[in-house]
């Protein structure tokens, strides 16, 4: 069995510092996701009790080690939950896209010599066709940002934070009972949390030059 020796290279001071930074960022990013419920938490007239909220689940329960929700009201919790959901959804797409391109797959007529990962940006920017592709990507990002939000101008009320159907999309959601809806929302939330950690790990290892992908088919 052939073993790669790149994973056993000694860490340089720079790589060690970066890994410490990544660990700190991971802690901040997961601050309102996991961990034991706080004991003796102060409640005020505006403070909310978030121990029963979606995402505060076994085995760790409610988690706020940085105190982001100390004496917070429901509005602040909903704001942080919206940010968590949005980053989770983006990260799920990012992980799928990263692994798909790293496997060597390309859309029809897409330049075959464009590498995967961070190197793709420079490669695309170096040609006219690549610049066209980058412009199309930016346009898609703009449209996605516009449509994935509550449409305040419509006579429609979101069912929960992160519900951007705006009365137009359903896919059978309204036919589910409350227990099924909560289960599916919990699945999305947890997958998004995992994807945030996943894409962060993929990007950091690529920059460190120690890819964690099998066979490293695309030269990452």
């Amino acid at each position: 069995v052939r073993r790669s020796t790149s994973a056993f290279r000694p860490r340089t001071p720079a790589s060690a510092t970066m890994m410490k930074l990544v660990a700190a960022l991971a802690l901040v990013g997961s601050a309102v996701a996991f961990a034991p419920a706080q004991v003796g938490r102060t409640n005020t007239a505006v403070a909310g009790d978030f121990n029963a909220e979606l995402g505060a689940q076994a085995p760790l329960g409610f988690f706020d080690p940085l105190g982001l929700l100390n004496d917070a009201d429901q509005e602040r919790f909903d704001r942080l939950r919206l940010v968590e959901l949005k980053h989770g959804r983006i990260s799920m797409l990012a992980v799928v896209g990263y692994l798909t391109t790293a496997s060597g797959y390309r859309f029809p007529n897409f330049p075959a010599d464009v590498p995967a990962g961070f190197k793709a940006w420079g490669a695309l920017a170096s040609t006219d066709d690549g610049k066209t592709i980058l412009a199309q990507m930016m346009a898609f990002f703009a449209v996605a940002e516009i449509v994935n939000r509550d449409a305040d101008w419509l006579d429609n009320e979101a069912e929960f934070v992160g519900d951007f159907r705006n009365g137009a999309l359903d896919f059978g959601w309204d036919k589910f009972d409350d227990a099924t809806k909560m289960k599916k929302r919990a699945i999305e939330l947890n997958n998004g949390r995992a994807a945030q950690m996943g894409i962060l790990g993929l990007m950091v290892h690529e920059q460190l030059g120690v890819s964690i992908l099998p066979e490293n088919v695309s030269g990452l």
Side-chain angles (χ1 to χ4, degrees):
V1 178
R2 180 175 60 87
R3 294 185 177 180
S4 173
T5 58
S6 60
F8 299 97
R9 290 180 298 181
R11 287 184 180 177
T12 64
S15 64
T17 300
M18 180 173 290
M19 293 306 294
K20 292 178 181 178
L21 177 61
V22 170
L25 290 174
L27 176 62
V28 173
S30 61
V32 289
F34 318 95
Q38 297 178 0
V39 178
R41 191 161 170 256
T42 302
N43 288 316
T44 68
V46 296
D49 182 3
F50 308 113
N51 292 283
E53 289 285 349
L54 178 71
Q57 57 198 45
L60 298 175
F62 179 76
F63 183 45
D64 186 18
L66 300 182
L68 298 178
L69 292 173
N70 286 349
D71 299 324
D73 56 15
Q74 189 66 41
E75 182 179 0
R76 174 163 174 77
F77 177 87
D78 289 345
R79 168 60 182 167
L80 292 176
R81 171 50 51 82
L82 179 62
V83 171
E84 181 183 25
L85 279 170
K86 183 174 182 178
H87 282 84
R89 290 166 177 173
I90 293 172
S91 296
M92 285 188 280
L93 291 173
V95 169
V96 172
Y98 193 104
L99 297 179
T100 299
T101 55
S103 71
Y105 177 83
R106 299 291 185 272
F107 283 120
N109 300 321
F110 191 88
D113 57 345
V114 174
F118 285 101
K119 297 176 182 178
W121 297 104
L124 290 173
S126 64
T127 66
D128 291 339
D129 288 341
K131 292 177 182 177
T132 301
I133 293 173
L134 289 176
Q136 293 173 350
M137 292 173 59
M138 295 301 109
F140 171 79
F141 295 156
V143 172
E145 180 67 22
I146 292 171
V147 300
N148 284 281
R149 61 180 64 232
D150 287 327
D152 297 331
W153 59 90
L154 296 177
D155 184 18
N156 176 74
E157 184 176 351
E159 183 178 333
F160 51 86
V161 175
D163 175 18
F164 299 144
R165 292 176 297 156
N166 293 313
L169 299 174
D170 182 66
F171 300 113
W173 178 261
D174 289 332
K175 297 180 181 179
F176 297 138
D177 56 34
D178 290 341
T180 301
K181 288 181 178 181
M182 290 296 292
K183 179 180 179 180
K184 290 185 176 296
R185 290 176 58 196
I187 290 172
E188 181 194 27
L189 188 62
N190 284 328
N191 285 345
R193 290 168 173 173
Q196 290 177 72
M197 298 297 102
I199 191 62
L200 180 62
L202 288 169
M203 293 190 300
V204 169
H205 277 81
E206 179 186 341
Q207 290 300 299
L208 291 176
V210 186
S211 177
I212 57 179
L213 297 178
E215 296 300 324
N216 205 13
V217 294
S218 293
L220 290 175

